[in-house]
Amino acid sequence: SEAYSDDCLLFARKCIMLVEAVRKNMGSVDLQYAGEKKIRQLIKSENGLGPKVLNWLSKDLHRWAGVLGAVDKAGKVKSTTSITPAKNHPQSHDAAMMTKRDCRTVFVQIAQQSRLRSIFTKNNTTRLSGEMVPKILKNSSFAVTKWEDCPSWWNEPKEDDTTCDCRDDLDLLVGILDYGYGGFESLLRHDFSFCQRLVSDNSKGLTRATVQVRINHLTRELHAINETEEMMKLVEKAKRKGGPESPIASKAKKAKTGSIQSGLQAFFKQKTNDESPGPRKTKSLPISPKNSDLEVIEIDSDCSDKDGKKRKQTFDLVEVADKKQK
């Protein structure tokens, strides 16, 4: 611990390698959104967080590993299951044995907290409470994942309160970032809006497991809004620079500007009366009433006149006469 307290970068590198080890042992992440039924299943997966946030953390780990120098020669993130070498601490033992399901559960919580913190760092509280969270509550994808343990008074404004109708959700997100799931009991003793109502409401309490579902739903939708905004910024930036259009825009443009196929008559030239061809001229041989022999001589330009070949060919010329016998 003394070595890590003096070298923060070394400690950060080891943490990235530990999280990467958890990611490698949790299994694959399904991102094949095909069909309405499959979309609903993926939205409800990962305890309501969805696979896109997990994919975001996988990419973020790779970026951090590149900055901290925690990649191998092939460019892959290094992983380790211990931050203390065994040779330095031979008396150390395994602190936990994690199965594939355990690794996935831990990685889901790390992904949710990391993504939520990055969104709160990027956006101020005014925009979150006045624009982003109210938009989430109206989305159809948010209604798919219903919070079964939601109190009846959740997000109801007080009589003298003129703020938005998402105060409880916003306070819950702020509180979980400040206290974490380990400090949830301390969070409930804070003066958040929903904490004050819990004191007077004995019908249903809130636990770590019940609020985690709601936090996962909100984080998933906040991530979707942020990804859409980033994509639109890239499109606008490409338009200002005059760069190539996005694949989606180019396909839509081609679909709108379709051409009409030409008919077969366009490939043929119609002849007018003025351009009608005249009588075909044919070269006729001399006609004689009698049979005549013609001698044809072929002359090669490379050969002399003496070496020229002679070929005699006899043509029987028949005179065609149309006589009427009277």
Side-chain angles (χ1 to χ4, degrees):
S1 60
E2 295 179 358
Y4 292 132
S5 61
D6 297 335
D7 193 350
C8 297
L9 293 179
L10 178 60
F11 180 70
R13 189 183 305 115
K14 291 295 183 179
C15 290
I16 293 295
M17 295 169 67
L18 281 173
V19 178
E20 178 65 14
V22 174
R23 188 195 68 82
K24 284 185 176 181
N25 291 277
M26 74 170 186
S28 60
V29 178
D30 188 6
L31 295 172
Q32 299 297 327
Y33 283 78
E36 183 177 356
K37 184 177 180 181
K38 184 65 177 297
I39 292 175
R40 289 176 178 269
Q41 291 177 353
L42 292 178
I43 289 177
K44 295 179 180 179
S45 64
E46 315 301 345
N47 199 16
L49 185 63
K52 292 185 178 180
V53 179
L54 272 64
N55 186 54
W56 172 87
L57 181 58
S58 299
K59 295 180 179 179
D60 200 53
L61 283 175
H62 194 275
R63 288 192 293 266
W64 273 109
V67 174
L68 297 172
V71 294
D72 55 14
K73 294 181 180 179
K76 296 182 179 180
V77 183
K78 297 180 181 179
S79 62
T80 182
T81 56
S82 176
I83 62 175
T84 56
K87 61 180 181 180
N88 297 337
H89 299 276
Q91 73 280 4
S92 62
H93 58 278
D94 296 333
M97 299 294 293
M98 299 178 63
T99 63
K100 182 177 180 180
R101 184 177 180 179
D102 297 334
C103 292
R104 202 172 193 89
T105 302
V106 172
F107 193 81
V108 166
Q109 291 185 0
I110 297 174
Q112 179 272 311
Q113 288 289 80
S114 300
R115 187 52 175 147
L116 184 62
R117 189 173 299 279
S118 66
I119 294 174
F120 268 71
T121 303
K122 183 179 179 181
N123 302 275
N124 54 35
T125 307
T126 303
R127 185 170 185 267
L128 286 166
S129 61
E131 181 181 348
M132 300 182 71
V133 178
K135 183 179 179 180
I136 289 173
L137 299 179
K138 298 177 182 178
N139 286 344
S140 58
S141 59
F142 184 74
V144 172
T145 51
K146 185 179 179 181
W147 188 21
E148 297 179 356
D149 297 317
C150 179
S152 58
W153 43 263
W154 191 262
N155 282 336
E156 287 184 359
K158 298 179 181 179
E159 296 179 358
D160 56 345
D161 191 3
T162 58
T163 58
C164 67
D165 57 350
C166 60
R167 172 56 56 187
D168 291 337
D169 283 327
L170 188 63
D171 286 348
L172 178 61
L173 295 178
V174 173
I176 205 65
L177 288 177
D178 291 341
Y179 292 93
Y181 291 101
F184 184 74
E185 298 298 331
S186 300
L187 185 152
L188 293 178
R189 291 192 294 268
H190 199 271
D191 57 350
F192 291 121
S193 58
F194 64 89
C195 295
Q196 299 173 3
R197 299 182 186 184
L198 282 174
V199 175
S200 57
D201 185 12
N202 297 324
S203 60
K204 182 180 294 187
L206 296 178
T207 62
R208 293 184 182 91
T210 56
V211 299
Q212 185 178 0
V213 176
R214 184 68 170 185
I215 294 170
N216 287 347
H217 296 171
L218 295 171
T219 305
R220 182 195 68 227
E221 297 300 323
L222 286 172
H223 170 75
I225 293 176
N226 186 81
E227 290 294 298
T228 303
E229 293 176 351
E230 291 296 329
M231 183 182 67
M232 295 305 298
K233 288 180 181 179
L234 292 176
V235 172
E236 293 296 331
K237 186 177 180 180
K239 287 182 179 180
R240 288 195 300 267
K241 291 184 177 181
E245 296 181 354
S246 62
I248 299 176
S250 61
K251 289 182 180 179
K253 186 176 181 181
K254 289 181 180 179
K256 292 181 180 179
T257 59
S259 59
I260 302 175
Q261 183 178 359
S262 302
L264 293 176
Q265 295 180 355
F267 298 95
F268 299 94
K269 182 178 181 182
Q270 297 181 355
K271 297 180 180 179
T272 60
N273 295 331
D274 298 337
E275 298 178 356
S276 59
R280 185 176 182 183
K281 296 180 181 181
T282 58
K283 186 176 181 180
S284 60
L285 294 173
I287 300 174
S288 175
K290 298 181 180 180
N291 295 339
S292 63
D293 296 335
L294 296 179
E295 185 177 4
V296 180
I297 302 174
E298 293 180 357
I299 301 176
D300 192 356
S301 60
D302 296 335
C303 301
S304 61
D305 295 339
K306 295 181 181 181
D307 297 335
K309 296 181 181 180
K310 296 183 179 181
R311 186 177 60 185
K312 187 175 182 180
Q313 183 177 2
T314 303
F315 293 89
D316 293 336
L317 301 178
V318 181
E319 181 179 0
V320 180
D322 187 8
K323 295 181 180 181
K324 296 181 180 181
Q325 294 181 359
K326 297 182 180 178

